[in-house]
Amino acid sequence: MSVFPSPRPAAGGPIIDFEPAASCLEVEGLSLAYGETLALRDLSLRVPRQRVTAFIGPSGCGKSTLLRALNRLHDLNDEVRLSGRILLEGQDIHAPEVEVAELRRRVGMVFQAPNPFPMSIYDNVAFGLRLQGGIRKRQMDDIVEWALQSAALWDEVKERLGSSAWTLSGGQQQRLVIARTLAVRPEVLLLDEPASALDPISTLKIEELIRNLKSQLTLVLVTHNMQQAARVSDYTAFLQEGELVEYGPTDSLFTNPRLVRTENYITGRMG
Amino acid sequence: MMRAGWARLPRGEGPWPWLAAGSVALSLLMFSGLVLLLAVRGLGHFWPAPLSLVALEDGRLLAGQAVREERRADGAGRERLYLTANRDLDGAIWTWVDLEEIAAESRPRDLVVLERTRWGSFQGRLLALEEERGRVEGEAAWQALEARLDELQALRRERLRDQVVVPLVRRLERETSEALVAELGAANARIRELQARMGGTRLLLESVDGRQLEQPLEQVLRAWRPNAMSTPQKLAAWGQGVWRFLSEGPRAANTAGGVWPAIFGTVLMVLLMSVVVTPFGVLAGIYLNEVAHQGRFTRLVRIAVRNLAGVPSIVYGVFGLGVFVYGIGGTLDEWFFADRLPSPTFGTGGLLWASLTLALLTLPVVIVATEEGLARVPDHQREGALALGATRVEMLTRVVLPMTTPAMLTGVILAIARAAGEVAPLMLVGVAKLAPQVPVDGEFPFLHLEQKFMHLGYHIYDVAFHGGDVEAALPLVYATALLLVLVILVLNLTAIFLRHHLRARHGVLPRR
Ligand SMILES: Nc1ncnc2c1ncn2[C@@H]1O[C@H](COP(=O)(O)OP(=O)(O)O)[C@@H](O)[C@H]1O
Ligand SMILES: [Mg+2]
């Protein structure tokens, strides 16, 4: 496919150092503007299935913008204009036959600040399932337990499923949000700096969780923490000023960056 | 020992905290002063005041309750105002007495006060009670009077005319049935029998200066001897007086009796208003904040709504009169009640139009509160719901609105507080000086939206300015004003309780 330029060290174009065997998400020539400000410029990349892909880059470079484009959260904002295509398992997510609620079920998202709803722990996890309807109580109980276990939270909350989610600690809340998202069985999980508001121990738990989850689904992780990207991701994309700069296997990108811009960023010499 | 080192942190804030605290204290002081004034003046009215027998230097005698003292107009000495009652004997109920003219003042235990349906109160002595069975005098007469009054009370409580006869007549207007006619005949016969029994009894009264008077018992409501009452008796009488004020209808062109229809009218009107304004205000707030495109137009609408909150209430009254009463009401009459024209049914002020007018008046408050509540729901809560596959409607109904209910209720509370105290617009769209029948009864459709109703606020205005005798009306004005404040307080507390309850349910506590 000619849309993806082959690796070339030319100045200007991005360096894309790998061709994923099985891509889950494909972004093709995506540009996005908030009103007059261009936040993403002609960005193309593929996200491999059942791997952890990290987006890194300086604050304001468009990481969150890109992530939110992947499950069409920008739809709410009248200001946003976008061009280019995003394919989920080969299908254009902006195609008229795609139902946006269904798309968001398939592409779940966890935000920077934990955002459990003001309900009980159980109700939080059951929220997405209840939207779908037609699930019996027994089955619901099972799914809730499974989701909480997948999010490594079950043991901590199994005695108090009925108490308010707001009584949990920040790290527990974030894992609850992950469990809530897992309960609707998404294919892709988008995580926007999921640990940046948490303490180091909670951060480690979340990172471990991310590593464990990739056997089940495709993960996209936005982080400004380079160590975190190096610890948990398989592939890393470096963005700067709305453009993709370099994208490749995490190991080679961190140990052997191809571009000076990338090297400057990951070694902390930001230009 | 541990405590030794603890010290207050220095506060170098200067005079500002004191100024702020001072203004709070001043507001509190003024508010409690207001309530205290209303309570003392209003509730004191029901206390059986002592009755003085005053002997003047020139030999005249009078019996009266001392009301207040003032410096004489010519500056020489002071004079005292007595409530001497006996309008039928004296033509007036007040007497000013120069303090220097008083020779002696005493409080004989045999002085009685009678509350009557005609001529107001009587103050003096009871000489005898006459009935067909015979005549009793002196102390026995007083005991007989008390017994008769108890009987009379029991009869009045049956309220045959209101509760049996009137509904029967109304039903007969619609259907004719032998059974109903028979029932009506029996009820009327009972009324005649009771009237005959009470009508025969007469009291022989004498004022302290010796003028005598015959008084039919059926016109006497209550009798007491204030100087012979012990404090517990007075307390009981006070309690009964307060209760009668709350539970009975007004008498004597609103200058006496109770305010029950006005309490009922006020509360009912406010509740109806809330029922109307809440859904409209909430939906409008949701539309403005969640649905409408946020552009110049919505900004304009917002500004307009906030300005509407400042429009004087009488303007809403004029609007209600023109649009609701004459416009919609007139049309309804033409369509559905043509047979009753030219006498209007909905084409005149009434409960419905008053509630709608006040709903309109308070709509901005609810809209603004709802909008502010919605704006306070963090975006990440909305996005969290959307990211789980919720549609916008599901996001609203399951996450955003439950979090907003306390704010909406705050809006309703503010609306109630504003509406319950409004009087001006009501005068145009449905309040009545006297409407002793409350607009709810056992008759279909139970709630009579087209009827006029009484209102505490208007009642105050009416009693204070339209009664002949301001001096006599003043205690009732204070009592009614106190009641209005209390009614608003109770309505607000109810809403606050509800809000607290909902907050507990949707905010932090679990629901499973
Ligand atoms: N809702 C918005 N409206 C306008 N501009 C926005 C909005 N969100 C983000 N931007 C702008 O888009 C750019 C990219 O933002 P973002 O994707 O949040 O960056 P990152 O997540 O990488 O820190 C920034 O310049 C930011 O100011
Ligand atoms: Mg971001």
Side-chain angles (χ1 to χ4, degrees), chain A residues 34 37 39 57-66 77 79 192-193 222:
Chain A
Y34 294 103
T37 13
S59 186
C61 72
K63 307 180 295 288
S64 299
T65 304
L66 173 59
N77 190 338
E79 293 245 284
D192 191 351
E193 307 194 15
V222 164

Side-chain angles (χ1 to χ4, degrees), chain B residues 294-491:
Chain B
Q294 301 298 316
R296 195 170 303 153
F297 180 70
T298 35
R299 247 200 329 274
L300 212 69
V301 173
R302 271 202 192 100
I303 293 173
V305 166
R306 277 159 179 73
N307 278 317
L308 271 182
V311 172
S313 54
I314 190 73
V315 176
Y316 284 96
V318 173
F319 178 87
L321 184 68
V323 174
F324 293 141
V325 177
Y326 294 152
I328 302 177
T331 316
L332 281 181
D333 276 0
E334 274 168 33
W335 288 355
F336 301 110
F337 303 99
D339 48 329
R340 291 197 208 161
L341 284 174
S343 80
T345 307
F346 277 101
T348 175
L351 185 57
L352 178 65
W353 303 139
S355 306
L356 288 186
T357 305
L358 285 193
L360 206 65
L361 174 92
T362 51
L363 192 59
V365 180
V366 180
I367 296 180
V368 169
T370 305
E371 268 209 280
E372 280 169 4
L374 288 170
R376 269 202 304 271
V377 175
D379 274 343
H380 62 67
Q381 288 282 337
R382 298 161 203 266
E383 289 177 341
L386 290 176
L388 288 171
T391 62
R392 283 184 68 180
V393 174
E394 286 166 340
M395 167 194 90
L396 262 178
T397 53
R398 295 182 188 221
V399 175
V400 178
L401 291 187
M403 290 179 80
T404 319
T405 22
M408 294 173 188
L409 274 170
T410 305
V412 177
I413 291 171
L414 292 174
I416 286 175
R418 169 126 202 238
E422 268 318 331
V423 178
L426 296 181
M427 299 209 255
L428 295 178
V429 294
V431 83
K433 176 182 159 69
L434 186 65
Q437 296 278 1
V438 295
V440 172
D441 58 29
E443 239 195 293
F444 188 81
F446 308 117
L447 175 62
H448 300 280
L449 290 173
E450 79 289 353
Q451 280 184 12
K452 293 208 188 298
F453 63 101
M454 291 184 74
H455 185 275
L456 285 172
Y458 183 69
H459 194 70
I460 294 174
Y461 174 76
D462 183 60
V463 172
F465 294 105
H466 292 195
D469 191 343
V470 178
E471 193 80 53
L474 222 47
L476 283 181
V477 169
Y478 282 119
T480 314
L482 178 70
L483 202 60
L484 182 57
V485 173
L486 289 182
V487 164
I488 296 176
L489 211 64
V490 167
L491 284 171

Side-chain angles (χ1 to χ4, degrees), chain A:
Chain A
M1 287 247 288
S2 60
V3 205
F4 288 93
S6 52
R8 62 192 151 94
I15 306 281
I16 295 184
D17 204 7
F18 84 112
E19 195 72 17
S23 58
C24 173
L25 278 164
E26 295 173 41
V27 178
E28 294 178 1
L30 181 69
S31 297
L32 188 147
Y34 294 103
E36 298 305 310
T37 13
L38 205 57
L40 298 176
R41 299 158 205 261
D42 191 22
L43 198 140
S44 298
L45 56 77
R46 293 177 170 195
V47 175
R49 192 175 297 144
Q50 295 195 346
R51 293 286 181 276
V52 180
T53 305
F55 294 167
I56 61 169
S59 186
C61 72
K63 307 180 295 288
S64 299
T65 304
L66 173 59
L67 209 62
R68 297 161 68 89
L70 298 180
N71 69 352
R72 285 180 59 180
L73 265 187
H74 291 302
D75 283 16
L76 288 181
N77 190 338
D78 298 330
E79 293 245 284
V80 170
R81 288 171 300 126
L82 111 189
S83 70
R85 296 207 303 167
I86 300 169
L87 307 181
L88 173 65
E89 300 294 351
Q91 195 195 21
D92 189 342
I93 65 168
H94 290 102
E97 67 271 17
V98 171
E99 220 191 294
V100 63
E102 167 70 17
L103 169 75
R104 293 193 187 125
R105 242 184 331 261
R106 293 174 63 191
V107 184
M109 182 151 185
V110 172
F111 301 84
Q112 179 169 1
N115 59 349
F117 303 130
M119 328 167 170
S120 71
I121 294 172
Y122 184 98
D123 287 342
N124 262 279
V125 182
F127 186 89
L129 296 166
R130 289 197 177 132
L131 292 175
Q132 295 170 33
I135 298 174
R136 265 185 264 108
K137 176 87 176 82
R138 282 296 306 277
Q139 213 178 343
M140 184 81 81
D141 289 347
D142 291 343
I143 302 178
V144 168
E145 178 173 349
W146 167 83
L148 284 168
Q149 249 156 6
S150 306
L153 190 60
W154 175 251
D155 291 332
E156 290 160 61
V157 300
K158 64 183 174 200
E159 306 295 339
R160 45 191 277 220
L161 291 175
S163 46
S164 167
W166 287 4
T167 60
L168 297 174
S169 75
Q172 288 174 324
Q173 286 189 8
Q174 196 62 304
R175 276 179 285 146
L176 176 66
V177 171
I178 293 175
R180 181 174 83 182
T181 313
L182 292 178
V184 296
R185 294 278 192 173
E187 297 160 37
V188 182
L189 183 56
L190 310 173
L191 303 130
D192 191 351
E193 307 194 15
S196 67
L198 305 182
D199 59 282
I201 295 191
S202 300
T203 303
L204 286 180
K205 280 192 182 153
I206 299 271
E207 287 178 8
E208 192 185 327
L209 182 58
I210 292 171
R211 274 193 299 270
N212 293 339
L213 283 175
K214 75 180 173 186
S215 62
Q216 297 173 26
L217 37 73
T218 304
L219 292 115
V220 183
L221 169 72
V222 164
T223 176
H224 58 231
N225 177 337
M226 246 87 57
Q227 283 77 30
Q228 190 171 63
R231 280 196 298 264
V232 300
S233 70
D234 303 302
Y235 300 96
T236 299
F238 172 52
L239 279 69
Q240 206 171 30
E241 289 175 7
E243 287 178 338
L244 181 62
V245 177
E246 190 165 343
Y247 182 27
T250 301
D251 289 342
S252 58
L253 190 123
F254 276 93
T255 53
N256 190 15
R258 305 266 292 268
L259 285 177
V260 185
R261 286 206 277 169
T262 317
E263 186 177 350
N264 283 349
Y265 179 70
I266 57 186
T267 55
R269 284 192 301 267
M270 275 186 53

